[in-house]
Amino acid sequence: QIARRILETRLSTFSTTGIDWPAAVKAGEGLSQAELARSAAEAAKRAILEDRETVTNDDLTGAIAERKAAALP
């Protein structure tokens, strides 16, 4: 579960209670470790810009989908 650890570590300063980790990891299949880290950073950025201390499932899965669209042909 390297992918999950990458995501959790990058989001460790936020509340992530509502995240469906198995679904997030499945959504990130095919992405490199660096792309997973970027996805987590983007999800955190969304929370910060909305003045939230919580990263939502939508934040994370949306960021993963965006990275996947950008990274994969």
Side-chain angles (χ1 to χ4, degrees), residues 11 14-21 24 43-44 46-47 50 52-63:
L11 298 173
F14 293 87
S15 172
T16 56
T17 306
I19 293 184
D20 180 353
W21 292 110
R46 291 176 187 194
E50 294 180 14
R52 293 185 276 120
E53 295 179 2
T54 300
V55 172
T56 67
N57 198 57
D58 287 345
D59 292 333
L60 184 55
T61 57

Side-chain angles (χ1 to χ4, degrees), residues 9-71:
T9 299
R10 292 291 182 164
L11 298 173
S12 64
T13 59
F14 293 87
S15 172
T16 56
T17 306
I19 293 184
D20 180 353
W21 292 110
V25 169
K26 184 164 181 60
E29 286 179 356
L31 291 179
S32 69
Q33 292 179 7
E35 293 295 335
L36 286 171
R38 286 187 190 111
S39 297
E42 180 61 31
K45 179 179 166 185
R46 291 176 187 194
I48 290 168
L49 290 174
E50 294 180 14
D51 198 29
R52 293 185 276 120
E53 295 179 2
T54 300
V55 172
T56 67
N57 198 57
D58 287 345
D59 292 333
L60 184 55
T61 57
I64 289 170
E66 287 175 10
R67 291 296 336 144
K68 212 168 197 179

